[in-house]
Amino acid sequence: MSDIDTTPRTPGRTPGRTPGPWDAPTPAATSQAAHAPTPAVEQPVEKDQSLVWALASTALMGGFLWWITGSAIVAGAILIGLFVHEAGHALAMNKLGMGPARIYIIPFLGGLAKARREPRSEWDGVLVSLAGPGFGLLAMIPFAGVGLALGQAEWLAGAFFIALLNLVNLVPAPPLDGSKALGPVLTRVHPRLEQIVLMVIGVAVVWWGLSTGRFILAAFLALSVFAHLKRGVWRAAWGTLSWPEAGKSLGLYLLTLAICVGAALAALLPMSGGDPAGALRLGLTYLGLNSSGAAG
């Protein structure tokens, strides 16, 4: 069978001739073009962070942590915990087709894992947001091991602050991971519920930062809360979770939260003589929420 036999007859086209590039498109071709799948939206390609700036930002962050903690071991633990936390986000992004993800250290504020593409669904977004705190706890293992082996509280404090880093990120206040994990669940109930709850919690976290002397964190969160307050519809890009996905998201969030709390208390148990209540009081003291105790 030749091409001439199968050539469709269309207006403006010579019978028996193979269609050329200047011929009018056939109805079938027009229909196929109209129903062609829309390509995935990609973020603009950014240049990788230069090695000099990456080293400088890491050094600035390490020096800042040393200044506020007074301990090179604790500062190193937090910095390593920050990298592992962001690596958890990046691994999830790459696994879910959002990569290649990049990790940035932001002096005086923390870290950022940036994807190349938006998540395909809200469920993927929830998984990415919880991958950081979940994976980040692995950084505790060497510090807790050395602390137990040497009996030195400074190493255990480093393990505790790694757990605390991941725990604070689960607070549902923008732009922390908790807002991206719990926010879609609240939206599933009612679109305005997410905005109200996250704004209230965000204001409370800003007040906590100001009242405990964490002014840089308070200023950063205040700017983020203000930016989110100016937004309109929050989740038009991906839609909402289904009810089963909302249930799984809530359960996964609560499980990750419970693991982070348990890891933080476990790191403090040796420092409190094995007393869970004492470990809890010590943890609250580190957070500036227990004025009756003293951090050790």
Side-chain angles (χ1 to χ4, degrees):
M1 190 178 294
S2 68
D3 291 338
I4 295 175
D5 294 334
T6 58
T7 302
R9 303 176 65 88
T10 57
R13 187 174 293 169
T14 304
R17 184 174 62 85
T18 302
W22 293 277
D23 289 319
T26 63
T30 305
S31 175
Q32 290 176 358
H35 294 85
T38 303
V41 177
E42 293 189 1
Q43 298 293 339
V45 178
E46 298 181 359
K47 293 178 63 177
D48 287 333
Q49 191 178 29
S50 69
L51 178 61
V52 174
W53 176 242
L55 294 175
S57 59
T58 302
L60 284 172
M61 190 66 188
F64 174 68
L65 292 171
W66 192 0
W67 176 61
I68 63 175
T69 63
S71 167
I73 293 175
V74 173
I78 299 174
L79 191 61
I80 292 173
L82 187 62
F83 272 110
V84 178
H85 175 99
E86 299 303 336
H89 289 310
L91 288 172
M93 289 173 180
N94 293 339
K95 181 69 175 179
L96 295 172
M98 298 165 59
R102 294 176 174 87
I103 296 176
Y104 302 91
I105 295 298
I106 306 173
F108 315 119
L109 291 177
L112 173 68
K114 191 164 186 176
R116 172 79 179 274
R117 301 169 183 83
E118 295 286 358
R120 291 171 297 186
S121 65
E122 287 282 16
W123 172 242
D124 282 2
V126 170
L127 293 178
V128 168
S129 65
L130 293 177
F135 190 80
L137 292 177
L138 295 177
M140 292 180 61
I141 296 175
F143 289 92
V146 172
L148 291 173
L150 301 179
Q152 294 183 1
E154 197 172 11
W155 289 87
L156 294 171
F160 165 75
F161 275 105
I162 292 173
L164 186 62
L165 167 70
N166 294 283
L167 181 60
V168 169
N169 264 282
L170 288 173
V171 174
L176 301 176
D177 295 330
S179 67
K180 301 166 188 174
L182 195 59
V185 179
L186 299 174
T187 297
R188 175 71 272 183
V189 179
H190 192 280
R192 288 293 177 185
L193 183 60
E194 176 186 5
Q195 294 172 309
I196 295 172
V197 171
L198 266 59
M199 287 301 105
V200 170
I201 296 177
V203 171
V205 173
V206 170
W207 174 85
W208 165 77
L210 292 173
S211 62
T212 58
R214 294 166 172 86
F215 300 116
I216 295 178
L217 176 62
F220 171 66
L221 291 175
L223 290 173
S224 179
V225 169
F226 178 74
H228 279 68
L229 190 61
K230 292 174 61 179
R231 290 172 59 184
V233 178
W234 284 19
R235 302 197 176 272
W238 310 328
T240 55
L241 294 170
S242 65
W243 281 112
E245 288 173 337
K248 290 189 294 183
S249 299
L250 180 59
L252 194 58
Y253 172 80
L254 294 175
L255 176 62
T256 307
L257 182 66
I259 292 174
C260 287
V261 171
L265 292 177
L268 294 177
L269 274 176
M271 302 166 61
S272 63
D275 178 21
L280 178 60
R281 287 193 298 270
L282 187 56
L284 293 175
T285 299
Y286 277 120
L287 289 171
L289 301 177
N290 182 20
S291 59
S292 62

